[in-house]
Amino acid sequence: MTRSAALLPIGPYHPAFIEGEFLRLWVRGERVVGAEIKLGYNHRGIMKLMEQRTFHQNIFLAERVCGICNTAHAICYCTAVERLLGISPPHRAQLLRILLAELERIHSHLLLIGLVADLAGFRTLFMYAWKIREHVLDAIERITGSRRHSGMVTIGGVSRPVPGKDLASARRSLLVLAKELPKLLSIMRESTTLKRRCRGVTEVDKQTARKIGFVGPNARASGLKLDVRAAEPYLPYAELDWKPVLGEFGDSFERLIVRAREAYQSLRTALICIKQLLSESGPLTVEYQLRAGEGIARVEAPRGELVYYLAAESTAHPSFVRIRTPTMLNLSAIVQLLPGLRVADVPIAIGSIDPCMTCCDRVTVLSAQSAAVLARIPLRALTTWKP
Amino acid sequence: MKLLKEILRALTRPPVTTQYPAKPASLPPSFRGPPDFDDARCIRCFACSSVCPTGACYVQDISDGERTVLIIDYTRCISCGRCVTICPTDALHHTREYSLLASRKTLYTLSSTEVDVRFIRCTECNQPITDVSHIRFIADRLSENLPEEVRDRALEDFKRFSSLCPACRTKLARKLGTSPEKWC
Ligand code: SF4
Ligand code: SF4
């Protein structure tokens, strides 16, 4: 099939890419007939680095895996450590974690809506989405002291108390956003530009979405009820009157709409959360003692299921860390859907899954002479691996 | 239609951009700027340098256990606030500095005045142990927190043990047959 087709290499470093990845498209005329994506250009070795730092230092390292969904990483890491240690954070800390996670989800979804609008050439929507995103960033800044990378989540709870005054002023910014979000949704639904660029691109039904391995909002856009918050509640979402948002068409446009709806629902959850936090008090952390064991945690990051696994041998350092980010799954799924598209639709298709390439990067060992892949080795074996 | 309204509104009402350097940024109350320290309060306990996730703050020995400086390297600091939380004497605090611009790289390193660490040396093997003020701080804390009946005895033991380096301390403890249970 790919024999007679022309190869269109994009990347690894390309002005259109924010992060380095190598996309190879086989095209016949305007049609894509084959696609392959190659990662490894941005591998930062974070998992290995984590094994050399103490449990507490790793929280900040985990946060820096991703610039956009850093709270999800911190929560996932801390939940894994808490399971390893057999502790559970106090209720108030759990509520604060929900608040931070949901605010982050709003910001991440708005960011993506803006990006895809930009890819589709609809710059006004891009500006608008990013403008209203400032309100949620203001709220996060009020609560944590910084726009991103809050450093709030810690092992056994939350590291800093949040004064009621700050919560109240965050609530005011969120109420402004509550007026803007429905507007955004109706602009998206009415916009012919966006619809004509995104409707029907990489449409997948429920079964296919499950089969190719979509997670997060991409799976939910196809009507697949796949949400860790519902399946394995790691935080008390049930108290906050929360339900997963489901779409039905499963195309690129629906993925954006599901994200906008989810942002609105997260906003609702965050407001309920603030109300509860204002009315109750309690401790923020629990005491703990390090011990040997292993912990695994799944968390619903804005992009889907995020998994942390770690093992420890009663030292101050974890002995083994494994991270699986949602983009790993989403990206391998979308690559299967690319054949059949027009070349111009490829950016939209890839953009619509909200890829975060660097977070999911893996390492491959290549031969320096022939550039042939010598081994795809698990990181655990990397220390002892010899060429 | 809705978007048209938004565009018109943005035309009449100026966007969020502000005149940045002229108009300072408004910072939230809990803003964490890069940390600064109060030299006089620091007891050289090294707590901050052992918890810092990036190795941005550290105590540097500049003349073989005679003088040390506490250094914060702002090019590495991620303003995580861990050192501020851990410092036992509140010597560290966050600044409200948000614009870290400097013309030379050396300006990004904040170092304390060189302090003669009045290092206590081990009475047995002459190894430097730690600063006098650190020992004093621990002694003060002990006398504050220990119950009346054991205080004097404990402080006396503390004096004896704190003049030894960890290795010699272990040796002495073995010789005396001290175990933590003795104090429970
Ligand atoms: S704020 Fe964090 S990174 Fe900066 S010096 Fe303190 S512990 Fe290190
Ligand atoms: S933790 Fe505080 S007292 Fe200890 S060395 Fe650092 S600044 Fe000094």
Side-chain angles (χ1 to χ4, degrees), chain A residues 57-68:
Chain A
Q57 288 175 329
N58 279 342
I59 303 170
F60 304 107
L61 191 56
E63 260 190 352
R64 276 151 186 86
V65 171
C66 185
I68 300 170

Side-chain angles (χ1 to χ4, degrees), chain A residues 123-134:
Chain A
R123 294 228 94 159
T124 318
L125 181 62
F126 161 55
M127 295 286 176
Y128 180 63
W130 283 39
K131 185 184 119 190
I132 65 176
R133 176 174 160 261
E134 283 306 306

